[in-house]
Amino acid sequence: MTEDHLVVASELSTEHHPGLHSRQIDAGGPPRTDQEPAPETLLYLMTLSHLRSLSVRFSGPLPSPSAIPVFPALQLLSFLCDDHEVAVQLLKLLPNSKLVKVKISFHQQLTDWYEWDALLQVLSKVSHSSLISISLHDLAKMSSIEEFEYEPLAFVSLRPLLAFTHLQTLVIFVAQGINYNDPTIDELARALPRLEQLSFDHAATLAYRPNATLASIVSIAALCANIKLIQLTIDATKLDAIPCPAVARNNPVDLQFGYSPLKKRDASSVASMLRGIFSHISCLHGFYVPTYDVDPSFDPDDDSPWFKVGQLTMHENLKLRNRRY
């Protein structure tokens, strides 16, 4: 057990700090609290000079620390809360921290985009030089969401995150989706060239056709040399004027297109385009989207067009590997 975890294990007790149990502190891993800690416990954690990794749930309101800075050595933070404002309060206490990875999840659905703006603006104040992973998750249950009632999050709200030029992982789950297109994905890829994982996900089939196309995948491949996973919703029915990369990336990549519209007759063309972008597609997922324009060639008893694309790209990869050996 490393020094940072030894400090936590030796200094905390269930008697003086209810809600935090030493048996829940994993050797070699972050201290975890399956039960929500009492406010005084969280205040105590803030003072630990060797605490580098913390995974905790806290509903709030956040207690006010008696001294700043808080969590002086914290590098890895996983924070689950009911109200996004609690996360905003916490991040306001960490402007000069050396956070490396941060994951924030909240059960409250952010229906007003100024709430996302507030969260992203304060997150952008964290040290730009140290942070390499950002994960934000809206965990609102679908039963609490009036289907198609809210507009997607505008890409402009995400622009504060483009200052994190060392970022390797960017994962954002917004229940109603994110409104991005080919120019904005190109802007993101240029700002974050070290990305290895880009994931923009949503809770259900969107009520609108996605604006991004395969051109976004071309931009990411061209500008992010180390990309390993792309999760975007695209309109794969728009195949005109898609730029062809000069050289295909040969690093293995996982492509997740979710509910992206694709016509069955275009499956071979899309597979060929993707092989021209990435020579080694390790995994590909996509689903048929019945809420968009109905593809007259689609047979509900037949395989999804994306399944066909996956078959074609995997078959080509197999041929390439056999050719090498």
Side-chain angles (χ1 to χ4, degrees):
M1 190 179 288
T2 58
E3 182 183 6
D4 52 337
H5 299 122
L6 278 172
V7 171
V8 175
S10 63
E11 293 187 8
L12 294 181
S13 70
T14 58
E15 178 182 357
H16 295 96
H17 304 283
L20 186 69
H21 303 275
S22 58
R23 62 180 173 82
Q24 295 170 327
I25 300 172
D26 300 324
R32 306 184 62 87
T33 58
D34 297 328
Q35 297 178 359
E36 186 171 320
E40 59 268 24
T41 302
L42 192 60
L43 282 173
Y44 177 73
L45 287 172
M46 292 179 181
T47 67
L48 295 180
S49 59
H50 298 287
L51 185 61
R52 297 180 184 176
S53 182
L54 176 65
S55 177
V56 64
R57 172 174 181 163
F58 192 80
S59 298
L62 202 69
S64 299
S66 58
I68 301 291
V70 300
F71 299 118
L74 197 63
Q75 296 180 358
L76 309 179
L77 172 64
S78 178
F79 190 70
L80 172 62
C81 54
D82 292 332
D83 187 338
H84 84 289
E85 184 58 36
V86 180
V88 170
Q89 293 171 3
L90 177 61
L91 289 172
K92 283 182 177 179
L93 299 175
L94 302 170
N96 299 314
S97 69
K98 297 301 181 184
L99 281 174
V100 176
K101 298 181 179 181
V102 59
K103 177 180 179 180
I104 297 176
S105 306
F106 35 87
H107 287 290
Q108 171 208 33
Q109 182 193 1
L110 304 192
T111 56
D112 293 314
W113 296 134
Y114 74 84
E115 297 172 335
W116 270 103
D117 290 342
L119 178 65
L120 294 167
Q121 285 288 347
V122 70
L123 178 59
S124 69
K125 307 301 182 185
V126 175
S127 174
H128 293 171
S129 61
S130 62
L131 199 59
I132 64 170
S133 178
I134 295 175
S135 297
L136 305 174
H137 298 261
D138 176 354
L139 301 179
K141 294 181 179 179
M142 284 305 298
S143 59
S144 68
I145 298 175
E146 291 292 333
E147 190 173 19
F148 311 148
E149 181 179 353
Y150 303 107
E151 292 295 320
L153 177 67
F155 182 84
V156 65
S157 296
L158 303 182
R159 282 205 169 97
L161 302 184
L162 302 189
F164 293 98
T165 56
H166 293 80
L167 210 59
Q168 297 175 12
T169 298
L170 179 59
V171 177
I172 302 183
F173 183 99
V174 182
Q176 301 95 311
I178 303 170
N179 189 3
Y180 51 84
N181 54 31
D182 293 337
T184 53
I185 292 298
D186 184 81
E187 176 187 358
L188 181 146
R190 290 181 186 278
L192 308 176
R194 301 186 185 188
L195 274 183
E196 297 180 7
Q197 176 180 352
L198 174 63
S199 177
F200 289 165
D201 199 7
H202 50 87
T205 305
L206 300 176
Y208 54 89
R209 293 188 75 92
N211 295 312
T213 70
L214 282 169
S216 290
I217 309 303
V218 174
S219 293
I220 296 169
L223 298 168
C224 304
N226 299 318
I227 196 68
K228 298 177 181 177
L229 188 153
I230 301 173
Q231 183 175 17
L232 294 177
T233 304
I234 64 170
D235 187 345
T237 67
K238 298 178 179 178
L239 302 181
D240 296 335
I242 302 297
C244 182
V247 179
R249 290 284 182 201
N250 58 13
N251 48 300
V253 65
D254 183 346
L255 300 176
Q256 300 181 16
F257 293 122
Y259 291 94
S260 293
L262 168 65
K263 294 180 179 179
K264 184 177 179 181
R265 65 173 179 264
D266 293 331
S268 295
S269 297
V270 169
S272 179
M273 288 183 179
L274 289 173
R275 290 197 303 266
I277 302 170
F278 298 104
S279 61
H280 186 178
I281 299 174
S282 57
C283 189
L284 187 147
H285 293 286
F287 304 100
Y288 175 63
V289 189
T291 58
Y292 302 130
D293 298 338
V294 176
D295 178 4
S297 68
F298 180 74
D299 181 350
D301 295 326
D302 200 354
D303 293 327
S304 160
W306 282 112
F307 181 76
K308 182 65 174 178
V309 173
Q311 282 185 317
L312 292 170
T313 54
M314 296 303 107
H315 178 63
E316 187 65 22
N317 287 338
L318 181 60
K319 288 198 299 184
L320 285 172
R321 284 195 296 270
N322 289 339
R323 203 172 296 151
R324 287 174 187 154
Y325 297 103

